[in-house]
Amino acid sequence: MRRKIVAGNWKMNCDLSEAEHLLAELKRENLSKEVSVIVAPPFTNLHHAFESLKESEIFVTAQNMHQATSGAYTGEVSASMLRSVGINIVILGHSERRAYFGETNALLAEKVDAAITANLTAIFCFGEELEDRKQGRHFDVVKTQLSEGLFHIDPSKWSHIVLAYEPVWAIGTGETATPEQAQEMHQFIRETIATAFSKTIANEVSILYGGSVKPANAAEIFGKPDVDGGLIGGASLNAKDFAAIVNAFGN
Ligand code: 13P
């Protein structure tokens, strides 16, 4: 049985006191036990978030990391540094990293390797832009992102991977993929993995949908058979909305 996961990507929001407040509110919410709940605060809050949540069932993930183990990479953070503050999950390849920080599939392949070597779970993000969809090449784009970023890994390492399909045109825009569009792509992703690796691996990997998920649309999207949860941006900054999204899935 693959895991149901709802992860909140805070992006570059919440200083330490805002994070303390949001985490305290989140801990007061009744969250479904059927769902693995994850929050992704900025680097400066990771240690605090880990300490604050360690008695809870909420996990903490980083939003990014560098591919090298250490060295002269000013401003960067390594996998072992994440582990040293209790973090064992990392988001890789978010579309904002790809668009604003030049992250390519080749670079992401290196980051995936570094995460696996450090025994982290990687939430690997990918998704097409609006123009790709308009031109009807969204399946090809997604297949290339998967194959160049991820398909070099050893089959035994797939337990370290969670996938997050985030169509760029749906991120922060209020425009959500329809549940049918999400299902169609998630099914395609699973088939692509089955062909490249095996049916067992394809059936066991959790595939999250991200892009304007809100309490009002979560249940319908999560109701699709190949959608195993969500990566939530804006709505994860409000504890009540985030809890409603988690519980839309688990109940
Ligand atoms: P929104 O939910 O704000 O559209 O963001 C989605 C996202 O990018 C999550 O990583």
Side-chain angles (χ1 to χ4, degrees):
M1 268 288 284
R2 49 188 185 249
R3 279 178 303 156
K4 294 179 171 184
I5 300 169
V6 174
N9 178 7
W10 294 8
K11 308 191 180 183
M12 197 172 74
N13 294 294
C14 293
D15 63 18
L16 181 58
S17 69
E18 290 164 335
E20 282 170 345
H21 185 70
L22 181 50
L23 292 170
E25 285 193 326
L26 208 51
K27 282 194 284 186
R28 281 197 288 273
E29 294 295 329
N30 227 334
L31 300 172
S32 167
K33 301 264 179 281
E34 281 181 48
V35 181
S36 296
V37 179
I38 306 176
V39 292
F43 284 129
T44 48
N45 297 330
L46 286 177
H47 183 53
H48 169 74
F50 171 74
E51 290 294 329
S52 164
L53 295 174
K54 69 181 174 196
E55 307 296 331
S56 80
E57 304 208 341
I58 304 172
F59 299 95
V60 184
T61 176
Q63 298 176 14
N64 178 38
M65 62 170 221
H66 195 269
Q67 65 277 19
T69 49
S70 64
Y73 300 104
T74 302
E76 293 292 327
V77 169
S78 71
S80 65
M81 290 172 185
L82 297 179
R83 291 207 68 98
S84 74
V85 291
I87 305 304
N88 51 26
I89 316 172
V90 63
I91 296 174
L92 296 178
H94 191 279
S95 69
E96 289 147 17
R97 301 286 324 163
R98 293 174 186 260
Y100 308 143
F101 303 98
E103 295 200 355
T104 61
N105 294 332
L107 173 74
L108 291 167
E110 289 184 48
K111 291 195 177 198
V112 166
D113 288 340
I116 290 173
T117 303
N119 214 13
L120 299 178
T121 293
I123 302 177
F124 184 83
C125 303
F126 53 94
E128 81 282 0
E129 295 182 20
L130 184 58
E131 200 50 33
D132 299 322
R133 189 162 273 266
K134 280 190 184 156
Q135 301 290 330
R137 55 173 185 248
H138 43 298
F139 293 114
D140 288 340
V141 167
V142 161
K143 191 172 180 178
T144 302
Q145 289 171 323
L146 287 173
S147 59
E148 293 183 0
L150 205 53
F151 280 9
H152 63 286
I153 68 171
D154 190 89
S156 67
K157 301 299 183 191
W158 272 90
S159 55
H160 286 268
I161 306 296
V162 171
L163 299 176
Y165 168 60
E166 299 203 300
V168 178
W169 48 272
I171 295 177
T173 58
E175 185 166 349
T176 324
T178 64
E180 291 68 33
Q181 284 172 321
Q183 168 57 25
E184 178 184 47
M185 183 57 88
H186 284 220
Q187 188 178 340
F188 171 77
I189 294 161
R190 225 178 277 289
E191 284 165 5
T192 304
I193 296 167
T195 305
F197 287 86
S198 72
K199 274 211 163 104
T200 309
I201 289 174
N203 280 332
E204 283 177 4
V205 67
S206 295
I207 310 177
L208 317 184
Y209 167 80
S212 299
V213 178
K214 306 279 180 248
N217 59 23
E220 220 190 334
I221 297 170
F222 296 162
K224 293 295 177 189
D226 285 299
V227 178
D228 305 308
L231 186 53
I232 318 303
S236 73
L237 297 172
N238 178 300
K240 290 240 168 302
D241 284 353
F242 188 58
I245 292 170
V246 170
N247 292 337
F249 197 14
N251 294 328

